[in-house]
Amino acid sequence: GAGVSQTPSNKVTEKGKYVELRCDPISGHTALYWYRQSLGQGPEFLIYFQGTGAADDSGLPNDRFFAVRPEGSVSTLKIQRTERGDSAVYLCASSLTLARTDTQYFGPGTRLTVL
Amino acid sequence: DAKTTQPPSMDCAEGRAANLPCNHSTISGNEYVYWYRQIHSQGPQYIIHGLKNNETNEMASLIITEDRKSSTLILPHATLRDTAVYYCIVRVAYNQGGKLIFGQGTELSVKP
């Protein structure tokens, strides 16, 4: 079956611009996670959703970052007034539920470059 | 969150077993050990997880010590395609949403 998909695969933008990154989770998965991975580092948690609600957004670095999941399926990560330090690979993962034994399946990521 | 310690890099000869160690001395009794790997430019891929018993699947085996303070991931017959960064993760309790806390991982190089 289809895995987690993310679009675009690459995004180049200029400092100060607004960007949206999209995640399509595996069908039927209620939990959705966003992570960010800087060069040479492991992925870092940003936010997760259970259904439509953001249950934990403690990893969002500041208020320029926002994520939504209006219908409990597709999610969009939004970054306002981008900065060069936002350059990273943004990873999305989904799991059937939030249970510890439910595997998180990752998408291929969106590579964001802020010039 | 319980932290993990892994060697930064390891080499393994093709066809031999790769044994990747992980220390997690502060793990709680209800926390699972998860292993993921990340091949260059791809998203992390799930390998295996366990609580206290040893586990085996088509990809690997997971050996957890009796005191649960360390574990070893075993790739029985490593191939060149197993070259990747391997992450050992202690997964937080369910009431914290099960987010994964990644460390630096072990970069495994499988050589011909």
Side-chain angles (χ1 to χ4, degrees):
Chain A
V4 178
S5 63
Q6 293 186 245
T7 54
S9 55
N10 281 284
K11 176 71 177 177
V12 180
T13 190
E14 294 179 343
K15 180 176 180 295
K17 298 289 188 181
Y18 168 82
V19 296
E20 290 189 351
L21 311 179
R22 176 187 169 107
C23 172
D24 281 83
I26 293 172
S27 178
H29 280 195
T30 63
L32 186 146
Y33 303 78
W34 283 98
Y35 296 82
R36 177 169 74 170
Q37 187 171 26
S38 301
L39 193 63
Q41 304 294 316
E44 179 184 25
F45 168 77
L46 295 177
I47 184 172
Y48 81 83
F49 291 85
Q50 169 63 19
T52 60
D56 181 354
D57 63 359
S58 63
L60 295 178
N62 52 59
D63 61 6
R64 295 186 297 106
F65 289 74
F66 189 71
V68 297
R69 195 186 185 199
E71 298 178 357
S73 178
V74 171
S75 177
T76 304
L77 179 66
K78 308 181 181 194
I79 310 174
Q80 299 177 319
R81 305 182 304 279
T82 53
E83 300 177 357
R84 292 193 180 88
D86 299 335
S87 295
V89 175
Y90 289 81
L91 295 161
C92 176
S94 71
S95 63
L96 192 60
T97 72
L98 293 177
R100 289 169 294 151
T101 53
D102 281 349
T103 299
Q104 288 185 29
Y105 296 94
F106 283 80
T110 294
R111 181 175 298 278
L112 175 66
T113 303
V114 182
L115 301 176
Chain B
D1 301 330
K3 295 185 178 179
T4 62
T5 305
Q6 298 177 255
S9 63
M10 291 181 64
D11 289 341
C12 178
E14 188 178 19
R16 303 296 296 269
N19 297 287
L20 291 90
C22 179
N23 287 323
H24 32 78
S25 58
T26 60
I27 193 170
S28 298
N30 62 351
E31 290 179 325
Y32 280 74
V33 178
Y34 271 74
W35 284 82
Y36 278 76
R37 73 180 184 184
Q38 190 171 26
I39 296 169
H40 183 61
S41 297
Q42 297 182 21
Q45 176 190 24
Y46 166 78
I47 301 174
I48 198 167
H49 73 276
L51 184 62
K52 56 179 74 172
N53 297 321
N54 297 337
E55 302 288 344
T56 295
N57 63 20
E58 65 278 5
M59 290 183 68
S61 294
L62 175 60
I63 309 297
I64 302 175
T65 57
E66 192 168 344
D67 63 8
R68 303 212 324 123
K69 295 188 176 188
S70 65
S71 61
T72 301
L73 179 74
I74 301 172
L75 308 178
H77 305 287
T79 71
L80 299 179
R81 286 176 295 183
D82 291 323
T83 292
V85 178
Y86 287 76
Y87 295 100
C88 169
I89 299 161
V90 171
R91 190 162 184 188
V92 299
Y94 76 94
N95 60 349
Q96 296 178 48
K99 61 190 178 187
L100 300 172
I101 309 297
F102 289 81
Q104 301 281 12
T106 294
E107 186 166 9
L108 176 68
S109 296
V110 180
K111 300 181 184 297

